[in-house]
Amino acid sequence: MQNVTLQVEGMSCNHCVNSIEGAMKTIGATAKVDLAGKSVTVQFDESKLSLDTVKTTIEDQGYDVV
């Protein structure tokens, strides 16, 4: 399992948290969103998912991975 913390812009409320955490579940990853720190820590199996897939999934929810 790999843990990665990504800086994510555009998150401001619990809807944002639910959106990102839900999207990560759909691809088989888990996420912990830190609104104050503008970051998302994602845990995923690197043999099944790539970091690019994780980033794209977050961006598809309307947020910017920086």
Side-chain angles (χ1 to χ4, degrees), residues 47-61:
S47 70
K48 296 179 181 175
L49 288 175
S50 69
L51 182 57
D52 284 341
T53 299
V54 170
K55 289 179 180 179
T56 299
T57 301
I58 293 171
E59 290 172 345
D60 287 348
Q61 298 304 306

Side-chain angles (χ1 to χ4, degrees), residues 8 10-17 20 32-40:
V8 179
M11 303 181 301
S12 61
C13 63
N14 281 335
H15 171 75
C16 301
V17 173
I20 291 173
K32 175 138 177 69
V33 176
D34 177 2
L35 289 175
K38 297 183 179 180
S39 67
V40 178

Side-chain angles (χ1 to χ4, degrees), residues 23-36:
M24 290 296 103
K25 284 181 185 176
T26 64
I27 63 169
T30 58
K32 175 138 177 69
V33 176
D34 177 2
L35 289 175

Side-chain angles (χ1 to χ4, degrees), residues 2-6 30 32 40-44 51 54-55:
Q2 182 172 348
N3 281 315
V4 175
T5 300
L6 303 168
T30 58
K32 175 138 177 69
V40 178
T41 301
V42 182
Q43 183 179 45
F44 62 98
L51 182 57
V54 170
K55 289 179 180 179

